[in-house]
Amino acid sequence: MQQIPAPLWTLVIGIVVTLISLWYGQNNNLLPVQASEQAPLVDDFFNVMVTIGTALFIVVQGTIIYSLIRFRRRKGDDTDGLPIEGNLPLEAFWTAIPAIIVVGLGLYSVVVFQDMGGFAPGGHHHGGMMMAQAPQHEMVDVGSPMLAQAGEGGSRQVYGFGASPMVEGNRPDLTVNVTGMQYAWIFRYPDTAIVDGELHVPVGQDVQLLIEAQDVIHSFWVPQFRLKQDALPGQPAELRFVATKEGTYPVVCAELCGAYHGGMRTQVIVHSLEDYAAWEASRVAELPGAAETVAVNPATMTDAEYLTQIAQDIPIEATQIAQLARLSNP
Amino acid sequence: MAQADLSFNSPVAPHGHPDKWKWYHYFTFNVDHKVIGIQYLVTSFLFYLVGGFMAVMLRTELATPDSDFLSPELYNAFLTNHGTIMIFLWIVPAAIGGFGNYLIPLMIGARDMAFPKLNAIAFWLNPPAGALLLGSFYFGGAQAGWTSYPPLSEITANAAQTLWILAIVLVGTSSILGSVNFLVTIWKMRVPSMKWDQIPLFCWAMVATSILALFSTPVLAAGLILLLFDINFGTSFFKPDAGGNVVVYQHLFWFYSHPAVYLMILPIFGIMSEVIPVHARKPIFGYKAIAYSSLTICLVGLFVWVHHMFTSGTPPWMRIFFTISTLIVAVPTGIKIFSWVATLWGGKIRYTTAMLFAVGLLSMFVFGGLSGVTLGTAPFDIHVHDTYYVVGHFHYVLFGGSVFGIYSAVYHWFPKITGRMLNEPLGKIHFVLTFIGTILTFTPMHALGMQGMPRRVAMYDAQFTDLNQLVTVGAYILAVSVIPFYINVLWSWSKGQKAGDNPWNALTLEWTTASPPIIENWDVLPVVTHGPYEYGHEPEEELETVS
Ligand SMILES: [Cu+2]
Ligand SMILES: [Cu+2]
């Protein structure tokens, strides 16, 4: 590589590329609103990767374009280029730089992962934690023997994100049991026996979702929380978060779960504390009597029948019920 | 290489074949590696059209947020078979079966592959696999994605899913047979005068590819056979309500299918290392680094599969371990990219279509590689896993990478295979349409994924309409882009300008024989007197090697 540009040019290009990369790293606006404590951790990490990536992108693409222009064959020139077969220092350099970047990113991801609660799913709350529910709710709790088992045995692996280091060892402020089924999410509040098709949580509180699937694999994703966890039939999972911004955000199923997978959407409403208390009170007042619930044995029903049964409580669209009915009785 | 076993040197019986193959010989159980290579290439280019048709159907559905063009069941059948066909009946057979079989004996001075009959068997497993996939549409088509995760794959379209499994097991068997053949051929059948560091880099890449296929394919076959038993014979390996475990399948599947990504890109890396020096008129920069980095990718690539399962039933230590191992792959991949860029530097670059596609690939791969690094880290992958960000990433790598590489290879070796040049103006139209179409189709997908659009959906939130319509326009441009290409190939095959033995003045051995080569490749085997990429040393040298 005899033709290294003059040091001054290298310096100028280096500064410009650095500035552009730093600017784009902070101003890419590629990610949606941040609404959980994890979101800024993920975004800062992403922005660092965007900064490094932008710099590498500009340098490599710039070199390609420069070479294509500067080293194009001129008319009438049928000779070959320079017989350069390698350059050990240069090769060592471009092996070392990515290696250093990669080690740095690896360490950084461990830190972010830990701060997100990635090392503590299911941790420190064995026995009782998984099924913190009121006694009368056992009847309503269809299709989650798995969570109950996990609670009793206390030794099953729980996947997902648990308590962040800040709240490790504390009980969550609110626990919600989340069940994915073709093609809806069911949210059960064990403390109050509320059942809903939308997730309601208070802002600023430590919320724990215990996630499972009834039929096939689904995946619980709130883009604004930057959190996702597969709902697995037969294996318990957890997501624990603190919502930081009031508002309504989509809950999306991210794992192909059948023909209407794309329609498996609902929302999470992050309330202020007062609004949440009001919502909870109004829902508890509406709850059907326990006797009524016991009379139904959901185990003997198809999904469609079960959904129709609870449709008045859950905002599942009528079309989805029709689809379900069609799918389960072809 | 004194021990290059002479008994291997003439596997094709010197008698029993005509001087020249007739057209119908290409439709028979023929053991000539060049016939088999062409059989693979033609078959795969036909399936490319089938997979492409499905992609156009998918993108047409996604031009609007509601499911209003295809039934959602058919949508899922198309998305499953689009992926399956593009991987198993297009990129893998074109790059490995097609160019691997055609070029390897020619590049190392052999008269055929080590096991010609095995080679023909390996090819003839592919057409029935394609027929099974197409036939599965009679039963509704497999609808569980190319990943076919249970329980969904066990409760959806059982007959079609069974045919799908049989098809994959057939192509997997083909891949194992082919790999053994490549390894033995490169190991044992080099012309005696070829030293280890004179082996073309495409052959090194095929060594890495074959090792990877041998280790990983049996694991996929095992997973799929268990799935087949669950569906048809009442076992419950993956049935959670009967004590099965759905995550075990994912491990079996991805232990193969992450390496499958490298099966689709390592041969392409090999093609890059052949095409760029010839058209830049410069030696490849860092021969050893490129050869070793292929082997490193092969080795590390066997230990990264869980990065596809970061949101699944994956314990914390596993998420971290596989984040680190995945990030390591960036180092050897970076070495290759930098080496190719350095090969351009100081060259006399010819703007041939083969070169345009090679440089286009380089450009696309930089972006696809960088987005791949972000996906390899668990904290960010949690957000974008199973979204359009992933779809954008792997199409940058597999379309912008593998498909660009296959195109480049066709423009580069078509003169050798057919004896005629492809039309350059048509080629350039093809390149420009493909380049623009690729950027327009796959770039907005990254934004869609980050903003909240999951993958594999027939219906989506209306806020994503604009970007989806942009993607659909890009996909239509890509659909149109293949028209000048297919016209060019069909026309040039019979009417193109005559190529001569060595139209690019290249130095690897395949250019020392006639175009198209005679049936046993050479009358007298060539003698290797220089490395494969010694451009710029003595301009007249290449003439000496013609024997
Ligand atoms: Cu779902
Ligand atoms: Cu992978």
Side-chain angles (χ1 to χ4, degrees):
Chain A
M1 302 291 289
Q2 284 91 335
Q3 309 198 4
I4 293 169
L8 189 64
W9 272 111
T10 317
L11 189 68
V12 171
I13 291 171
I15 291 171
V16 172
V17 169
T18 309
L19 289 176
I20 294 174
S21 306
L22 286 172
W23 181 84
Y24 190 65
Q26 297 306 313
N27 296 283
N28 56 63
N29 293 325
L30 287 165
L31 292 159
V33 174
Q34 302 174 338
S36 77
E37 277 186 349
Q38 279 97 344
L41 299 171
V42 174
D43 291 10
D44 289 349
F45 178 53
F46 175 69
N47 289 341
V48 167
M49 292 195 287
V50 170
T51 308
I52 298 169
T54 307
L56 285 170
F57 182 84
I58 298 175
V59 168
V60 178
Q61 303 284 18
T63 314
I64 294 172
I65 293 167
Y66 177 82
S67 303
L68 285 179
I69 297 167
R70 170 86 167 67
F71 302 112
R72 70 188 187 281
R73 185 187 86 112
R74 317 294 158 123
K75 257 213 168 82
D77 180 1
D78 283 328
T79 61
D80 286 352
L82 303 166
I84 308 164
E85 303 204 325
N87 179 325
L88 216 54
L90 191 61
E91 288 171 57
F93 174 75
W94 70 44
T95 307
I97 294 293
I100 292 167
I101 292 175
V102 152
V103 169
L105 286 180
L107 293 174
Y108 190 2
S109 36
V110 175
V111 173
V112 175
F113 190 72
Q114 166 151 34
D115 290 348
M116 291 172 75
F119 285 115
H124 301 107
H125 300 281
H126 288 313
M129 177 278 291
M130 295 302 289
M131 266 298 123
Q133 63 185 16
Q136 83 271 20
H137 179 57
E138 269 160 23
M139 303 303 185
V140 201
D141 191 66
V142 199
S144 58
M146 175 187 80
L147 285 179
Q149 274 171 26
E152 285 151 19
S155 59
R156 287 191 67 180
Q157 174 81 50
V158 179
Y159 304 107
F161 284 86
S164 71
M166 309 278 291
V167 293
E168 198 147 14
N170 297 355
R171 279 190 154 276
D173 299 321
L174 171 68
T175 296
V176 184
N177 293 324
V178 181
T179 307
M181 62 175 74
Q182 287 175 320
Y183 299 95
W185 294 105
I186 309 294
F187 301 96
R188 296 193 186 85
Y189 292 70
D191 295 336
T192 54
I194 296 172
V195 179
D196 207 318
E198 292 177 338
L199 177 60
H200 293 257
V201 296
V203 72
Q205 298 286 295
D206 183 9
V207 179
Q208 181 190 45
L209 305 180
L210 301 177
I211 301 171
E212 56 165 1
Q214 186 170 296
D215 36 36
V216 300
I217 304 173
H218 303 273
S219 191
F220 179 93
W221 180 34
V222 178
Q224 285 72 8
F225 290 176
R226 312 287 188 273
L227 286 177
K228 183 185 289 129
Q229 174 57 45
D230 287 6
L232 299 156
Q235 298 185 47
E238 171 185 9
L239 279 183
R240 193 158 157 177
F241 60 89
V242 175
T244 52
K245 199 168 164 26
E246 288 169 37
T248 302
Y249 311 108
V251 172
V252 181
C253 175
E255 179 65 56
L256 176 61
C257 59
Y260 295 89
H261 162 54
M264 187 165 161
R265 281 174 262 147
T266 180
Q267 48 198 17
V268 48
I269 297 111
V270 179
H271 296 279
S272 67
L273 288 179
E274 307 82 69
D275 283 358
Y276 181 77
W279 171 82
E280 191 181 63
S282 75
R283 290 306 311 274
V284 168
E286 284 170 15
L287 278 177
E292 207 183 314
T293 316
V294 174
V296 188
N297 180 5
T300 63
M301 300 162 74
T302 66
D303 286 351
E305 286 163 345
Y306 173 64
L307 281 179
T308 315
Q309 183 72 32
I310 58 174
Q312 62 267 48
D313 295 337
I314 305 172
I316 294 175
E317 286 172 26
T319 52
Q320 279 178 316
I321 292 171
Q323 287 159 7
L324 274 169
R326 190 158 61 82
L327 288 171
S328 49
N329 316 301
Chain B
M1 303 290 100
Q3 80 267 48
D5 195 340
L6 287 179
S7 65
F8 269 109
N9 262 346
S10 272
V12 182
H15 51 274
H17 63 69
D19 289 343
K20 209 169 176 292
W21 300 120
K22 298 265 188 335
W23 64 269
Y24 54 83
H25 287 124
Y26 288 86
F27 294 87
T28 59
F29 187 86
N30 192 311
V31 296
D32 181 343
H33 73 98
K34 298 186 293 303
V35 174
I36 294 172
I38 291 171
Q39 286 173 328
Y40 268 113
L41 283 172
V42 171
T43 317
S44 60
F45 270 95
L46 287 175
F47 277 105
Y48 182 36
L49 293 180
V50 178
F53 166 77
M54 292 177 182
V56 168
M57 293 293 105
L58 299 176
R59 282 319 313 177
T60 305
E61 171 64 71
L62 293 175
T64 56
D66 293 330
S67 170
D68 44 17
F69 175 63
L70 306 169
S71 77
E73 288 83 6
L74 185 59
Y75 179 91
N76 282 1
F78 277 158
L79 92 80
T80 301
N81 286 279
H82 163 73
T84 307
I85 286 174
M86 290 307 203
I87 293 166
F88 293 106
L89 291 166
W90 157 235
I91 295 178
V92 166
I96 303 179
F99 288 107
N101 277 302
Y102 197 95
L103 293 173
I104 284 178
L106 283 168
M107 282 182 162
I108 60 172
R111 297 199 183 278
D112 206 311
M113 298 284 285
F115 310 114
K117 281 213 181 98
L118 202 66
N119 206 14
I121 293 171
F123 167 74
W124 282 104
L125 291 173
N126 284 269
L132 287 176
L133 283 187
L134 295 179
S136 76
F137 276 84
Y138 179 77
F139 303 100
Q143 295 166 27
W146 86 281
T147 50
S148 286
Y149 280 6
L152 183 65
S153 56
E154 299 192 344
I155 61 168
T156 315
N158 283 345
Q161 190 70 45
T162 303
L163 295 183
W164 180 92
I165 293 171
L166 293 175
I168 304 304
V169 171
L170 283 182
V171 291
T173 310
S174 165
S175 168
I176 293 173
L177 299 182
S179 302
V180 173
N181 217 343
F182 290 132
L183 285 176
V184 176
T185 305
I186 297 171
W187 180 255
K188 282 288 183 188
M189 304 214 11
R190 276 166 296 127
V191 69
S193 52
M194 180 176 276
K195 303 193 194 80
W196 280 104
D197 61 357
Q198 291 173 328
I199 299 176
L201 286 164
F202 178 72
C203 300
W204 277 119
M206 288 301 297
V207 169
T209 308
S210 304
I211 294 173
L212 214 45
L214 277 181
F215 274 104
S216 57
T217 316
V219 179
L220 173 73
L224 291 184
I225 286 167
L226 297 183
L227 191 64
L228 183 109
F229 271 70
D230 268 14
I231 294 174
N232 295 294
F233 305 116
T235 56
S236 46
F237 296 106
F238 308 128
K239 288 177 189 154
D241 42 7
N245 185 322
V246 294
V247 179
V248 170
Y249 172 87
Q250 299 178 14
H251 283 288
L252 295 174
F253 180 84
W254 286 113
F255 185 81
Y256 164 79
S257 294
H258 179 80
V261 175
Y262 298 131
L263 297 187
M264 289 185 276
I265 202 65
L266 280 171
I268 304 298
F269 286 169
I271 288 168
M272 289 289 281
S273 301
E274 301 300 329
V275 171
I276 289 182
V278 175
H279 298 266
R281 313 306 305 165
K282 239 189 105 220
I284 190 82
F285 193 97
Y287 173 94
K288 285 211 174 106
I290 291 179
Y292 289 145
S293 62
S294 285
L295 298 172
T296 312
I297 290 175
C298 157
L299 194 73
V300 183
L302 283 170
F303 301 98
V304 300
W305 76 93
V306 177
H307 63 211
H308 299 272
M309 299 168 56
F310 282 153
T311 68
S312 180
T314 307
W317 71 266
M318 230 189 241
R319 290 173 163 187
I320 290 304
F321 177 88
F322 284 92
T323 294
I324 310 277
S325 64
T326 302
L327 286 172
I328 291 172
V329 182
V331 178
T333 313
I335 291 175
K336 283 177 183 290
I337 289 179
F338 296 134
S339 300
W340 294 323
V341 174
T343 306
L344 295 177
W345 189 279
K348 298 272 171 78
I349 298 169
R350 268 89 168 141
Y351 283 69
T352 53
T353 309
M355 187 60 157
L356 290 177
F357 272 108
V359 175
L361 186 162
L362 199 48
S363 179
M364 297 291 173
F365 207 83
V366 172
F367 188 80
L370 290 170
S371 64
V373 169
T374 65
L375 278 171
T377 62
F380 180 66
D381 182 69
I382 297 292
H383 175 52
V384 287
H385 176 69
D386 266 330
T387 71
Y388 259 86
Y389 187 90
V390 177
V391 181
H393 158 72
F394 71 68
H395 279 93
Y396 252 89
V397 182
L398 290 181
F399 194 91
S402 303
V403 177
F404 272 55
I406 292 171
Y407 281 145
S408 175
V410 169
Y411 284 97
H412 184 73
W413 280 293
F414 188 86
K416 179 51 59 185
I417 296 172
T418 65
R420 292 176 187 274
M421 307 297 287
L422 281 167
N423 178 286
E424 277 291 317
L426 269 181
K428 274 158 194 161
I429 294 171
H430 174 217
F431 171 74
V432 171
L433 286 174
T434 311
F435 195 79
I436 295 171
T438 305
I439 292 175
L440 219 52
T441 309
F442 304 120
T443 319
M445 288 183 177
H446 295 80
L448 279 171
M450 281 185 275
Q451 290 293 322
M453 180 162 163
R455 66 189 282 204
R456 293 172 161 172
V457 292
M459 53 216 97
Y460 56 85
D461 193 315
Q463 61 165 312
F464 302 125
T465 311
D466 291 348
L467 280 176
N468 269 294
Q469 287 174 347
L470 190 62
V471 171
T472 298
V473 170
Y476 288 163
I477 294 177
L478 284 181
V480 172
S481 77
V482 301
I483 295 171
F485 176 73
Y486 279 81
I487 291 175
N488 198 351
V489 167
L490 291 175
W491 183 83
S492 303
W493 206 319
S494 57
K495 301 223 166 55
Q497 183 198 332
K498 285 248 175 10
D501 291 359
N502 192 359
W504 313 122
N505 278 317
L507 293 180
T508 37
L509 290 184
E510 75 271 25
W511 303 101
T512 62
T513 183
S515 304
I518 58 173
I519 284 183
E520 288 187 14
N521 296 346
W522 290 273
D523 287 328
V524 180
L525 287 180
V527 176
V528 180
T529 56
H530 54 66
Y533 312 110
E534 289 184 0
Y535 299 99
H537 287 286
E538 290 148 59
E540 301 307 313
E541 197 185 25
E542 59 251 37
L543 299 175
E544 293 169 20
T545 53
V546 185
S547 52

